[in-house]
Amino acid sequence: MASKSRRPPVYAAPLRGDLSGLPPATIMVSEYDPLRSEGEAYARKLQENGVPTTLVVLEGMIHACIHMLGITPAAKSLFVHAGKELRAKFQLVT
């Protein structure tokens, strides 16, 4: 008989696990994304576990805006933020 209390592995549900010891993270969520609250919760959980975390809300954007680069200029903000964070983390000068 299968157990009803069977839970997914921690890597499949990171909000249930211990996130301490993870490297610094940048979490990017779109303002109008149905998954925004999950991304924000993940950022909070990382911070609560002592992980340096930056949360970026992409104003006016929807889920999967990464695929809209050629459609709307606002999608470029995702790449601008990501590039900025990567340059800072790796101490790269442009």
Side-chain angles (χ1 to χ4, degrees), residues 48-86:
E48 290 167 1
N49 281 260
V51 177
T53 304
T54 302
L55 175 64
V56 177
V57 177
L58 301 166
E59 302 295 331
M61 298 309 296
I62 62 171
H63 184 79
C65 66
I66 193 170
H67 302 292
M68 298 178 184
L69 185 58
I71 299 171
T72 174
K76 185 177 179 182
S77 67
L78 184 151
F79 295 94
V80 170
H81 285 296
K84 178 181 172 186
E85 291 294 323
L86 286 169

Side-chain angles (χ1 to χ4, degrees), residues 29-36 57-64:
V29 297
S30 296
E31 182 179 14
Y32 300 110
D33 190 335
L35 301 176
R36 176 180 174 178
V57 177
L58 301 166
E59 302 295 331
M61 298 309 296
I62 62 171
H63 184 79

